[in-house]
Amino acid sequence: MSKPVSSGAIIDQKDIKKTILLFVKNWYWFVLFLGLGIGGSVLYLYKATKFYGASAEILLKPQKNAVQDALTKSLMNGTGASRDEIANEIEILSSSKLISDVIKELNLEISYYIEGRIKTGEIYKGRPFVVDGKVLDESFYGVPFYINILSRDKFRLRVEHNGYIYQKDHKFGEPVVNDKFSLLINVDTTIIRGNVSGLAETKYDFRINNREYLIKKYRDALQLNMGEEATVITAYIEDEVQEKAVDFLNVLTRLYIENSVSVQKEINENTLAFIDGQLKEVEDVLNGVESNLEQFQRQKTTVNPEDEQGVYLQQKVDFENQRAQLSIQLRSVDYLYEQLTSGGESSVISPAVLGESPDPGLASAFSVLSTLMQRRTNLLFSNTPSSPVVKEVEAQIANAKSDVISIVMNMRRNLVVKINSLSSQLGQFQGAMNQMPSTIRGLVNINRKVAINEKIYLFLLETRAETVIQKAGIVADKFLLEPASGIGLQKPIQSKMLIAGIGVGLALAFLVIFLKSIFYNFINTKDELSDLTTLPVIGVVGRTKEAKDDYLVVEKLPQSLTSEAFRVIRTNLSYFSPKATSKVLLFTSSMAGEGKTFSAINTGTILAKAKKKVVVIDLDLHKPKQANAFNLMNDNGITSYLVGKSTLPEIIKDTPIENLQVILTGPRTPNASELILDPMLEEMIMELKKTYDYILLDTPPVGLLSDALALMKLSDLNIYVLKAGFSKKDFVDIAHTIVEKNDIKHMVFLLNNVNVKNLPSGYGGGYYK
């Protein structure tokens, strides 16, 4: 069997050339799909919603506090700050409560848009009106409310949704209320000034968003990542408006940092409120005592006490001052105890109100308590009150409160003992004072009260100043390392989209060409035919429009590409059976319409023009064409001869071409295939060999009938005609099967109807192009 022989190389140069030529010949697919891909990318870039990015960095840096550091280490089993704690901070940053506060502060529940001819774009700032409103029917969330500005004072509102239509003119600042929505639209006079013609032509709309939807949207869009050392959190978000993305991160980080010191600030505020109340009481008492002193001095002559009486007076003032300070501390202790045992979640006051605490453990115990309370507040951003981690911290808070209460109770007992001791000593001084004259005693008592309340007032002022200083020293353990800043367009990226469009276009072009090469199973060129077989290709005939109307192309157009191709075929015939005095050439094909009759007639014509005596025999008894080709009457022929009605000279007809004669099929017969097998046919061919140089047999297609198979053994050369763009590659296998099963010695291919661009040099494709 004659089949193509494969080379041993992994990559054959011929295969590479064939592949390149395949793509070059199909260049128009690349142009088409590249145009579609790039055009689609440009259209997508124009219509797609653009998202801009913004990022910020937060530094987590615990405060340098020995007690808090020890507490943190104990809570973390001595390992210091863990990535789990940082993960909790990330949960706080992305908590629904914090994001909800950001949405409320930026008023993101109302979105504003400008309508364009092709797309609608969102505007964040610079809008000519401001909307405050809510929907009463939840189906109106996200529905566009269209606004047309008519003048500085009036606008037109239009809403269409689920068959509901609302259209009416309103004044700015006029409430719009119905059973679907409630709106208040105010004009921005900084934008809308004199002439509003430009704004009147612009189409605006706004949409009221569901808060829960917004929270979910921004939680999904917010990306929080911790650094390798777990000390920096990077916040990133994308939004349709870059300025809005920047504002969102700035407000989010600010609220997050403010929240980190909320417990300490609340404690400080409570302490200042308590001190201010005490100052007000002492101030009222001091004002009253000073008024009494002024009135006493007006009524009595000023008396200077004796030295001994002055000593008594000074000592009594000192004791009473000490007892007053201890009494204030006792009231502060009682108030602190009340706060600790009230059972509520309100913060306690700072122990700084107690002044110089006699128990140094109170400050440490209170620091532990405030740290735990702050930790519980942070955990509630991302956990429910019933979660195990919150319950664990609450248990630690209860233990810390017990420690503080124990210390406070000890302080109270010590203060009561000191106050009772001072009261006893004051009783002794009071007895001595009673011995003094009444006028002197009255003046001493008033001066004593003034001095005592002045010292108490100064003590409270000092305590308040210390508390204010402490308030100023309250700082968060989180710092904004990098404020939010825009980082430009994130998606779609123009270059990537264009590259994607080009890639898709190229991929589709390659795919179409590949599929075409697989499913378009037709032979088009000599190279394609040569790849399928090792049988010789005797000739390649180019496509010509004249062949559609006339078989005699070589006769009528001797200088055409077709004539040149048949001259090549005539030359190649000399290489087959060169010793034979008369050659029998058989023309066949796989199916009708491949050009075997056309090839036989023009081969005979080109041989006749070379002074060869040629006869063409039309053996296609089922569908004869030679009579029409030469414009002859098919009155007698092969069938007449084989049935004995005509002799051989009687069936040979002349043609318009010198040295070329033809034998037609003759009258049709129902047993055409049987007549072909008649021994008289072989005898006829042998007789013709005595007269003619070439005998051309035009036989039926072997793919449809077996007539040609019987005649192939009588021929010197069997020419298998294929038609470019019509004959399938499988037809070559039919020829191979015929050669194998019938032991055919001489089989060649003739490729017909080849595109002129695909003609190889030497077949009319080089010189005549």
Side-chain angles (χ1 to χ4, degrees):
M1 178 177 175
S2 299
K3 288 188 176 181
V5 178
S6 175
S7 67
I10 297 176
I11 299 177
D12 197 343
Q13 268 189 336
K14 194 173 183 181
D15 293 335
I16 297 175
K17 181 179 179 182
K18 178 183 174 183
T19 303
I20 294 174
L21 288 175
L22 174 65
F23 291 120
V24 170
K25 290 175 182 177
N26 291 274
W27 61 269
Y28 49 87
W29 289 112
F30 289 101
V31 174
L32 174 63
F33 285 110
L34 278 175
L36 291 175
I38 295 173
S41 297
V42 172
L43 182 61
Y44 176 81
L45 286 170
Y46 183 78
K47 294 193 66 175
T49 301
K50 295 178 174 58
F51 288 90
Y52 299 87
S55 66
E57 290 185 357
I58 303 170
L59 176 64
L60 304 180
K61 186 178 181 181
Q63 298 181 28
K64 298 299 181 179
N65 184 296
V67 177
Q68 293 184 9
D69 290 346
L71 173 66
T72 302
K73 290 181 180 179
S74 65
L75 292 175
M76 297 299 139
N77 297 321
T79 60
S82 70
R83 296 183 72 88
D84 290 339
E85 284 297 310
I86 308 302
N88 286 337
E89 296 299 326
I90 289 177
E91 288 297 323
I92 295 172
L93 265 170
S94 61
S95 65
S96 298
K97 180 180 182 303
L98 199 58
I99 291 177
S100 178
D101 292 341
V102 176
I103 292 171
K104 181 179 180 181
E105 182 166 330
L106 294 176
N107 193 26
L108 300 181
E109 290 179 293
I110 309 293
S111 300
Y112 302 84
Y113 300 87
I114 293 181
E115 292 186 56
R117 293 182 178 179
I118 298 179
K119 60 180 293 187
T120 298
E122 183 179 357
I123 53 174
Y124 176 55
K125 293 181 180 180
R127 48 191 181 264
F129 57 89
V130 179
V131 179
D132 183 16
K134 62 181 179 179
V135 297
L136 306 177
D137 182 347
E138 291 188 356
S139 66
F140 277 77
Y141 278 125
V143 173
F145 289 76
Y146 297 97
I147 293 285
N148 289 101
I149 299 175
L150 304 177
S151 66
R152 293 185 60 186
D153 303 320
K154 296 184 66 176
F155 65 92
R156 178 169 297 150
L157 177 67
R158 180 171 59 87
V159 185
E160 294 183 13
H161 178 62
N162 290 340
Y164 175 84
I165 300 177
Y166 180 93
Q167 181 169 319
K168 191 175 180 181
D169 295 349
H170 292 277
K171 292 183 178 180
F172 285 110
E174 173 187 355
V176 182
V177 181
N178 56 33
D179 60 340
K180 303 295 183 182
F181 48 82
S182 173
L183 304 173
L184 182 62
I185 303 176
N186 293 307
V187 67
D188 188 342
T189 55
T190 61
I191 297 177
I192 298 182
R193 294 181 180 175
N195 190 357
V196 296
S197 58
L199 295 174
E201 295 174 358
T202 306
K203 296 181 180 179
Y204 296 96
D205 74 71
F206 66 88
R207 301 165 196 185
I208 302 176
N209 301 305
N210 186 306
R211 179 178 285 267
E212 298 301 323
Y213 160 77
L214 286 178
I215 292 173
K216 184 178 184 305
K217 172 187 174 182
Y218 282 105
R219 284 195 70 179
D220 293 341
L222 183 62
Q223 299 178 23
L224 300 168
N225 300 300
M226 67 177 73
E228 294 182 359
E229 301 298 328
T231 58
V232 176
I233 296 177
T234 301
Y236 173 83
I237 197 168
E238 293 178 0
D239 196 89
E240 294 89 337
V241 182
Q242 179 165 284
E243 190 175 4
K244 183 166 66 172
V246 172
D247 287 352
F248 183 90
L249 286 185
N250 279 330
V251 174
L252 178 72
T253 52
R254 176 173 58 80
L255 293 179
Y256 166 69
I257 293 174
E258 288 177 356
N259 167 75
S260 66
V261 294
S262 59
V263 172
Q264 288 88 339
K265 287 187 176 181
E266 186 177 356
I267 292 174
N268 194 276
E269 292 293 339
N270 290 342
T271 303
L272 285 175
F274 175 77
I275 293 174
D276 288 340
Q278 294 296 311
L279 279 171
K280 184 65 171 62
E281 292 181 5
V282 174
E283 186 177 0
D284 292 341
V285 172
L286 187 58
N287 289 334
V289 173
E290 288 177 346
S291 297
N292 293 337
L293 176 59
E294 182 180 356
Q295 183 177 5
F296 185 86
Q297 288 177 339
R298 288 176 181 175
Q299 294 174 356
K300 306 290 184 178
T301 303
T302 303
V303 181
N304 291 323
E306 299 293 334
D307 293 340
E308 184 179 357
Q309 293 171 340
V311 172
Y312 285 144
L313 175 61
Q314 184 61 43
Q315 289 179 345
K316 186 175 182 182
V317 168
D318 291 340
F319 282 130
E320 287 190 346
N321 179 51
Q322 294 179 26
R323 189 176 68 173
Q325 290 184 2
L326 292 175
S327 297
I328 291 175
Q329 289 185 5
L330 182 61
R331 286 200 299 270
S332 300
V333 167
D334 290 341
Y335 184 77
L336 181 58
Y337 177 80
E338 181 182 350
Q339 291 287 312
L340 291 169
T341 58
S342 62
E345 296 184 357
S346 60
S347 300
V348 297
I349 63 173
S350 172
V353 74
L354 304 179
E356 297 180 359
S357 174
D359 192 335
L362 179 61
S364 298
F366 185 82
S367 177
V368 172
L369 176 60
S370 62
T371 300
L372 289 171
M373 291 174 69
Q374 179 65 52
R375 186 160 184 259
R376 179 182 181 276
T377 301
N378 291 345
L379 289 174
L380 287 176
F381 275 91
S382 54
N383 298 274
T384 61
S386 59
S387 64
V389 64
V390 174
K391 290 296 184 183
E392 180 182 355
V393 173
E394 287 179 344
Q396 295 173 355
I397 289 174
N399 292 333
K401 278 188 177 182
S402 297
D403 294 341
V404 174
I405 291 172
S406 177
I407 295 172
V408 168
M409 292 303 296
N410 288 333
M411 289 179 61
R412 190 180 191 284
R413 282 193 293 270
N414 293 334
L415 288 172
V416 170
V417 170
K418 290 180 179 180
I419 290 172
N420 291 337
S421 175
L422 287 173
S423 297
S424 176
Q425 295 182 51
L426 282 171
Q428 296 177 6
F429 283 109
Q430 185 63 40
M433 293 286 293
N434 289 336
Q435 303 299 321
M436 298 171 61
S438 60
T439 300
I440 296 176
R441 188 170 58 248
L443 179 61
V444 168
N445 287 335
I446 294 174
N447 286 329
R448 173 176 54 82
K449 290 179 181 181
V450 171
I452 291 172
N453 284 280
E454 282 179 348
K455 291 186 177 182
I456 294 174
Y457 190 77
L458 290 174
F459 167 75
L460 290 174
L461 286 177
E462 291 175 358
T463 305
R464 189 182 191 283
E466 292 175 358
T467 305
V468 170
I469 293 172
Q470 289 180 357
K471 180 179 180 180
I474 296 176
V475 294
D477 56 352
K478 291 91 179 174
F479 303 93
L480 190 58
L481 187 63
E482 289 289 343
S485 60
I487 54 178
L489 181 66
Q490 297 300 297
K491 57 184 180 183
I493 300 176
Q494 182 175 351
S495 59
K496 288 186 177 180
M497 286 305 304
L498 290 175
I499 292 173
I502 293 172
V504 171
L506 289 174
L508 288 175
F510 279 112
L511 180 63
V512 169
I513 295 172
F514 175 72
L515 294 176
K516 180 183 175 183
S517 67
I518 294 176
F519 296 104
Y520 184 78
N521 191 28
F522 297 102
I523 300 171
N524 289 287
T525 66
K526 179 179 180 293
D527 289 338
E528 291 179 1
L529 177 58
S530 299
D531 290 339
L532 298 172
T533 183
T534 56
L535 294 175
V537 179
I538 195 172
V540 178
V541 181
R543 183 185 304 160
T544 174
K545 60 181 180 179
E546 291 82 4
K548 295 180 180 180
D549 305 320
D550 198 336
Y551 284 88
L552 306 177
V553 176
V554 172
E555 171 64 17
K556 296 182 178 180
L557 299 169
Q559 297 301 319
S560 65
L561 292 175
T562 302
S563 298
E564 179 64 20
F566 278 103
R567 289 188 183 95
V568 175
I569 293 172
R570 181 181 63 190
T571 302
N572 290 338
L573 285 173
S574 63
Y575 295 102
F576 296 93
S577 302
K579 297 181 180 180
T581 57
S582 180
K583 296 179 181 180
V584 180
L585 308 179
L586 183 144
F587 289 82
T588 188
S589 62
S590 299
M591 61 188 300
E594 292 185 275
K596 60 179 181 57
T597 299
F598 173 82
S599 300
I601 291 174
N602 284 282
T603 301
T605 301
I606 204 69
L607 290 170
K609 287 184 177 295
K611 307 302 180 180
K612 302 294 183 181
K613 195 168 180 58
V614 183
V615 62
V616 178
I617 305 175
D618 192 351
L619 291 174
D620 192 350
L621 304 182
H622 304 274
K623 196 175 180 181
K625 295 181 181 178
Q626 298 284 352
N628 292 334
F630 291 103
N631 198 20
L632 299 173
M633 292 292 294
N634 194 14
D635 51 353
N636 61 354
I638 293 296
T639 58
S640 303
Y641 173 78
L642 293 178
V643 297
K645 290 184 179 181
S646 301
T647 62
L648 182 58
E650 291 176 344
I651 63 174
I652 298 175
K653 297 180 182 290
D654 292 328
T655 68
I657 302 168
E658 184 181 359
N659 296 326
L660 178 63
Q661 292 178 305
V662 65
I663 299 176
L664 304 178
T665 60
R668 292 199 175 190
T669 177
N671 59 340
S673 297
E674 287 74 13
L675 287 177
I676 292 296
L677 299 175
D678 195 307
M680 289 182 63
L681 182 60
E682 184 176 355
E683 293 175 2
M684 184 190 75
I685 293 174
M686 297 303 294
E687 186 66 25
L688 291 172
K689 282 185 175 184
K690 297 176 183 179
T691 307
Y692 295 94
D693 297 314
Y694 285 94
I695 301 168
L696 278 59
L697 308 179
D698 183 9
T699 64
V702 292
L704 301 176
L705 300 168
S706 61
D707 297 9
L709 295 177
L711 299 170
M712 283 184 179
K713 295 181 179 181
L714 303 177
S715 67
D716 298 308
L717 184 65
N718 299 293
I719 301 175
Y720 203 99
V721 180
L722 299 169
K723 185 176 181 179
F726 179 83
S727 300
K728 296 184 178 180
K729 296 178 181 179
D730 300 338
F731 291 178
V732 178
D733 293 333
I734 296 175
H736 291 159
T737 302
I738 292 171
V739 172
E740 270 191 346
K741 293 186 176 181
N742 298 279
D743 194 24
I744 302 300
K745 300 299 183 183
H746 301 291
M747 175 76 79
V748 297
F749 288 103
L750 189 155
L751 185 58
N752 180 40
N753 197 48
V754 177
N755 191 310
V756 177
K757 295 180 179 179
N758 296 329
L759 286 175
S761 299
Y763 289 90
Y767 183 79
Y768 286 98
K769 275 202 280 189

